[in-house]
Amino acid sequence: MNYFNTMITGWILVFGAFILLGNDICAQTAMANIQSRKLTSLNGEWRALIDPSNTGEYLQVWVGKKPVKKTDFYEYSFEEASVLNVPGDFNSQMSELTYFEGTVWYKKQFNYLIAEGKRLFLHFGAVNYLADVYLNGEKIGSHEGGFIPFQFEITDKIKDGDNTVIVKVNNNRKGNGLPGYGYDWFNYGGITRDVDLIETDNTFIEDYFIQLKKGSLTTVLGWVKMNGAGEKQDIEIEVPELNLRYKAITDDEGFAHVEFESEFELWSPENPRLYSVTVKSDTDFLVDTIGFRSIEVQGNQILLNRKPIFLKAVNIHEENPHRMNRAYSSEDAKLLLNSAKELGCNLVRLAHYPHSENMVKEAERLGIMVWDELPVYQHIQFSDSLMPAKLEQMLQEMVGRDKNRCGVVVWALSNETYPSTPNRNDRLIELTQKCRSLDSARLITHVVNTQSYENHTVNVWDSLYIHSDIVALNEYFGWYLPWQGKPSDTKWNISFPDKPVFISEFGGEAVYGNSDGPPDEAAYWTEEYQEKIYVDQIEMFNSVPNLVGVCPWLLFDYRSLGRMHSVYQKGYNRKGLISEKGGKKKAWYVMKEYFEGK
Ligand code: GCU
């Protein structure tokens, strides 16, 4: 099967995307580029019922019963209920929800008149973690996964006039979830990103892929996928600035192959060139801004547009450091990304889950490459019977949403999973192959920390690296692991001499402004101790073979409830180079100088 057919097969599996899970209908994979469609926002104030005992199921709160007889009464009502803003996590909006992990019922009423021959979809940017969605008292489906858009078609369920949508949101940790029970970030629950109604024509452009073919600087290879019955459609892709117009006709499945040549001003951090691209069919018309660049591994180097590049990266969690809540807006994205730029970065690792589309688009505009990552984090129940479907769903949702974002250069499919977990290798090798079938135009990797450190020698081997384009490893020498000798004398024994090596995490903790304690003792969280870690790490980097990039953990101090030192942490992971209040620690300056020298 050639590249195109393989990829088509991959995507055909996506877009019939009702996966029946029990008697539940799972959400559809979201259509592409909603910002270019006819949107009605449902953002704003929603009514909310907090339901720690999950009684709402038994009461069937979605029916919205009202007393009729004098003896009627119902032990729930959304009228006069609390108000939660959407988008936004619920933990940061009400003090009684600060540490809440459980069920919150959201309700929104809206008025809609759907035009003849049109279709209507209810689209969620993200809901963490489980969403059960009801429209006018009827369940329309469910979605699992906290970090990616999903949608439901409601054409035949919408009423002319008043409608009520109720969403049961549950952010309890799930043993067979992605992530599982244990993770080192705050479990923000809620409708954390935008909610929109999307009106389309009966037949509309559901999705498209328009990027440079792997290894080429002039050939665009992709496709357009229509949704809806009806005859073949003429497709037209235009890039006005290049005076380019490409025409095709869809096949019986509504697919049109796209392949054309052109000279492009290539996207790069120095010149983040984006083109306005229109995708037209007989019945639909979308506008996107698309960049064209090539990313590939050649030997032990990473090439951007055929030139070796060193990845000056930093890790970022999706948290607004000043508000200390889930980030979601363009403003939040600009705050985080401008801070990464100030540090001298050309790449951000969006740990450990897909961040908002605003983040990915803003990074592209600013010329910052993006490392997009699945929440396949540490303790995952790879043997669970539902795990293969969940892994595939989240992969397709992540790639589906960001595949046209040239700024995204790496798909990272796991972080620090354990070789001892049953089925870990099978599941993750399968996932890697699926990812390649969906998009071979980017680098694919797993982040691993199974290396051993004995006699001042780092021995790197993991079967996941066989299937990865990069040897990405997390190491905390100088913090979790004391040095066994002079950092510059560190020996590296990497079993993949022909692969590029990327240090995806390193660092240590410090409280901003704290110098109270011996500078060589970790237990005081001094800035000096953290600074020394960075000086030593940079000394060691010179001994790492095939080093193509480094990525300190992490940009800002952030909330993580397992960090319980009552003096220094107070529920924060203090490995930030910057405090949550914006204070640059001494280590920030060490890292800044290193990147300047690169
Ligand atoms: C791990 C993990 C991070 C975690 C960090 C730490 O490597 O990938 O998610 O926060 O180490 O311990 O701070």
Side-chain angles (χ1 to χ4, degrees):
M1 216 186 245
N2 71 31
Y3 160 84
F4 176 60
N5 293 344
T6 319
M7 203 176 58
I8 291 308
T9 312
W11 284 105
I12 287 174
L13 292 173
V14 177
F15 294 108
F18 282 97
I19 309 160
L20 282 166
L21 206 61
N23 58 0
D24 248 358
I25 286 187
C26 281
Q28 295 171 343
T29 299
M31 65 180 82
N33 191 3
I34 69 163
Q35 289 74 16
S36 182
R37 300 177 189 270
K38 187 179 180 218
L39 294 184
T40 302
S41 173
L42 295 185
N43 286 350
E45 295 189 346
W46 289 51
R47 290 285 180 184
L49 296 176
I50 304 170
D51 185 8
S53 59
N54 242 343
T55 310
E57 282 293 334
Y58 165 73
L59 296 171
Q60 298 192 331
V61 298
W62 58 88
V63 177
K65 290 188 191 115
K66 294 274 188 301
V68 176
K69 300 194 298 299
K70 289 190 181 311
T71 52
D72 283 349
F73 66 93
Y74 296 102
E75 296 184 75
Y76 66 89
S77 161
F78 281 95
E79 279 60 55
E80 309 308 312
S82 306
V83 169
L84 287 175
N85 290 315
V86 168
D89 66 271
F90 54 58
N91 305 87
S92 60
Q93 295 192 49
M94 290 170 64
S95 56
E96 54 267 50
L97 290 177
T98 300
Y99 300 110
F100 186 71
E101 297 189 359
T103 294
V104 174
W105 296 86
Y106 284 75
K107 174 180 178 178
K108 184 79 176 179
Q109 287 179 285
F110 63 92
N111 203 304
Y112 203 87
L113 281 176
I114 184 166
E116 187 59 37
K118 298 297 182 186
R119 295 167 66 183
L120 195 66
F121 295 82
L122 177 57
H123 177 282
F124 293 85
V127 175
N128 190 42
Y129 174 78
L130 287 174
D132 293 324
V133 182
Y134 301 81
L135 181 66
N136 301 324
E138 180 202 347
K139 185 165 189 182
I140 58 174
S142 301
H143 181 267
E144 176 172 348
F147 305 101
I148 279 290
F150 58 95
Q151 68 184 39
F152 301 96
E153 180 158 10
I154 57 172
T155 311
D156 303 331
K157 303 176 189 316
I158 194 92
K159 292 186 302 190
D160 276 359
D162 263 336
N163 291 273
T164 300
V165 59
I166 287 180
V167 184
K168 176 186 179 185
V169 176
N170 180 281
N171 72 327
N172 281 123
R173 299 160 192 257
K174 282 167 70 77
N176 70 347
L178 289 172
Y181 282 124
Y183 42 89
D184 189 20
W185 65 84
F186 194 91
N187 178 20
Y188 290 111
I191 303 179
T192 49
R193 297 179 193 155
D194 296 338
V195 182
D196 292 285
L197 296 169
I198 306 173
E199 187 176 293
T200 70
D201 195 86
N202 244 338
T203 300
F204 64 94
I205 300 167
E206 179 173 77
D207 198 9
Y208 52 88
F209 184 36
I210 299 171
Q211 285 287 285
L212 278 177
K213 181 180 171 184
K214 189 177 182 78
S216 171
L217 300 183
T218 56
T219 306
V220 168
L221 189 61
W223 45 269
V224 175
K225 161 84 171 68
M226 301 302 295
N227 181 307
E231 66 295 342
K232 293 178 189 271
Q233 293 229 342
D234 287 325
I235 300 295
E236 200 173 277
I237 293 175
E238 268 194 273
V239 188
E241 296 164 275
L242 297 175
N243 215 2
L244 186 146
R245 179 172 297 166
Y246 173 83
K247 295 188 178 188
I249 298 178
T250 58
D251 64 17
D252 299 340
E253 275 85 43
F255 262 93
H257 175 57
V258 169
E259 188 164 0
F260 59 82
E261 296 281 330
S262 175
E263 295 297 321
F264 297 96
E265 217 182 310
L266 297 172
W267 183 93
S268 71
E270 298 72 29
N271 178 23
R273 180 72 162 90
L274 297 172
Y275 289 88
S276 176
V277 178
T278 63
V279 184
K280 261 191 278 191
S281 75
D282 299 344
T283 55
D284 202 357
F285 176 93
L286 297 173
V287 183
D288 203 343
T289 46
I290 292 181
F292 299 95
R293 57 97 189 97
S294 160
I295 189 82
E296 56 193 318
V297 164
Q298 202 169 69
N300 46 41
Q301 290 187 311
I302 291 180
L303 306 184
L304 176 68
N305 302 328
R306 296 259 174 81
K307 296 195 196 82
I309 186 163
F310 188 85
L311 304 179
K312 301 183 281 187
V314 72
N315 282 286
I316 295 181
H317 261 300
E318 190 172 46
E319 192 171 80
N320 178 307
H322 304 325
R323 291 199 323 260
M324 289 321 279
N325 62 359
R326 181 62 78 217
Y328 56 85
S329 66
S330 298
E331 292 66 36
D332 293 337
K334 286 178 184 131
L335 186 155
L336 294 167
L337 292 166
N338 285 324
S339 181
K341 223 163 165 63
E342 187 188 5
L343 180 62
C345 297
N346 61 12
L347 182 141
V348 286
R349 177 182 177 213
L350 301 187
H352 286 289
Y353 39 78
H355 291 204
S356 77
E357 210 171 2
N358 290 320
M359 189 70 170
V360 176
K361 288 186 168 181
E362 201 54 45
E364 201 175 53
R365 279 192 281 269
L366 287 170
I368 300 176
M369 291 177 282
V370 168
W371 170 299
D372 228 339
E373 187 161 308
L374 287 180
V376 182
Y377 181 90
Q378 294 184 356
H379 321 265
I380 299 296
Q381 287 181 6
F382 288 110
S383 304
D384 183 275
S385 60
L386 297 178
M387 191 51 69
K390 290 184 186 179
L391 287 167
E392 175 149 2
Q393 172 214 319
M394 290 197 195
L395 172 72
Q396 285 166 347
E397 288 174 336
M398 174 176 76
V399 175
R401 187 193 75 176
D402 295 341
K403 61 187 175 296
N404 290 313
R405 305 277 68 84
C406 71
V408 175
V409 294
V410 175
W411 301 123
L413 308 184
S414 69
N415 178 74
E416 296 192 350
T417 58
Y418 313 124
S420 57
T421 307
N423 296 109
R424 173 255 202 179
N425 288 350
D426 316 359
R427 291 288 88 77
L428 290 182
I429 292 165
E430 273 162 26
L431 194 66
T432 313
Q433 289 154 352
K434 281 196 186 75
C435 191
R436 282 198 201 287
S437 71
L438 291 176
D439 173 16
S440 70
R442 288 178 174 87
L443 308 184
I444 297 170
T445 195
H446 294 269
V447 177
V448 178
N449 68 336
T450 56
Q451 66 274 4
S452 68
Y453 180 44
E454 288 135 16
N455 309 318
H456 208 21
T457 302
V458 190
N459 300 294
V460 179
W461 192 89
D462 192 296
S463 51
L464 293 183
Y465 285 141
I466 298 167
H467 307 274
S468 300
D469 294 320
I470 312 172
V471 173
L473 66 94
N474 296 343
E475 48 84 7
Y476 282 90
F477 303 138
W479 181 252
Y480 291 125
L481 284 177
W483 294 100
Q484 294 172 1
K486 264 170 64 53
S488 55
D489 296 342
T490 309
K491 299 277 176 298
W492 289 82
N493 175 18
I494 299 177
S495 307
F496 305 91
D498 58 348
K499 292 200 180 200
V501 176
F502 179 74
I503 308 284
S504 35
E505 286 181 36
F506 66 94
E509 301 208 14
V511 173
Y512 171 68
N514 173 31
S515 296
D516 292 348
D520 59 346
E521 292 188 28
Y524 294 86
W525 267 259
T526 60
E527 281 202 43
E528 289 73 18
Y529 195 88
Q530 184 193 41
E531 180 187 31
K532 182 74 169 59
I533 290 171
Y534 276 78
V535 168
D536 291 345
Q537 284 278 340
I538 287 168
E539 198 185 296
M540 176 193 71
F541 291 156
N542 297 324
S543 71
V544 181
N546 308 333
L547 186 66
V548 295
V550 297
C551 190
W553 184 266
L554 78 170
L555 189 60
F556 281 98
D557 287 353
Y558 70 100
R559 292 174 71 189
S560 180
L561 297 181
R563 305 297 175 164
M564 297 191 288
H565 193 295
S566 51
V567 175
Y568 301 121
Q569 293 178 313
K570 301 184 176 118
Y572 284 74
N573 183 316
R574 295 283 179 205
K575 295 189 185 70
L577 291 167
I578 309 172
S579 76
E580 72 280 16
K581 293 186 170 47
K584 294 187 179 81
K585 302 174 190 176
K586 289 181 163 63
W588 184 92
Y589 298 92
V590 173
M591 206 62 224
K592 167 84 178 166
E593 188 186 350
Y594 174 74
F595 281 155
E596 276 171 350
K598 276 298 175 190

